[in-house]
Amino acid sequence: MTDISLLEGLATTRAIRRYTDDRIPPEDLQKILWSATRAPSGSNRQPFRFVVLQDGPNAREAKRLIGEAAQAMWSKKVVTDQYEQGSGTDHNSPKAKMARTMQHYVDNLHCCPVIILPCLVRYRAPNSMEGGSIYPAVQNLMLAARATGYGGVITGFHHAVEKELRPLLKIPEEVFIACTVTMGKPKGRHGPVRRKPMGELVFEESWDLTPSWAVDPEGTRFTSGGPPG
Ligand SMILES: Cc1cc2nc3c(=O)[nH]c(=O)nc-3n(C[C@H](O)[C@H](O)[C@H](O)COP(=O)(O)O)c2cc1C
């Protein structure tokens, strides 16, 4: 366990895309998944489920499928988000560094220590609130990983291979696979997340009225939204 407060943990839970080869021991996995299962859900129905993929034969095959899907997704994104244009041609630019991180990430996804598929057991037709009964659990997973010295990324890499994953992992058709979370021991260090200033994101009384108290604490790091320009 790392000795950090809840608030510090949530301000420093960033997407971690480089992992050491260390496995996550069962006692740490237990803490992380236990924390995920403590999440809130509508009427406390607890429709969340988590399929953990480590080293078993199904896990290896699922990781291979997801890894290939991730590579294909990233290859497309390089073009659509113009990662090799503009500042992307400068080896030292944030854009070029991000592209290298992503390439390394997708190329090594198949041997990532743990992949978790957070799922939602649907008990009624999909509606606009249903994500609210699974994504808080996903964020609990990320925060608990941070607290136990691990890091991860929430991704959508499973989408393209859902048809293969479902029979392999016996995931029923009515179950929504909410995301793919990769997890392991970070190669680098955790650091503060970067977001827009809170004054741009928080309103009081009326849309666009920024409250006087919406002031970022000292040391807050900022970024604009979207892929690097
Ligand atoms: C709904 C959602 C989908 C995401 N999908 C991907 C993805 O497919 N691939 C990826 O590498 N990161 C993905 N991410 C990670 C985000 O890119 C990352 O959280 C964001 O850029 C902010 O960076 P930070 O978490 O390091 O602060 C996703 C995050 C969320 C919340």
Side-chain angles (χ1 to χ4, degrees), residues 13-17 73 98 102 105-106 135 142 152-157 179 192-195:
T13 298
R14 299 181 61 182
I16 299 288
R17 297 189 173 88
M73 233 172 115
M98 185 64 194
M102 279 304 299
Y105 178 48
V106 298
Y135 293 115
M142 300 290 288
V153 190
I154 301 167
T155 80
F157 293 147
C179 57
V193 299
R194 294 177 176 82
R195 303 287 183 257

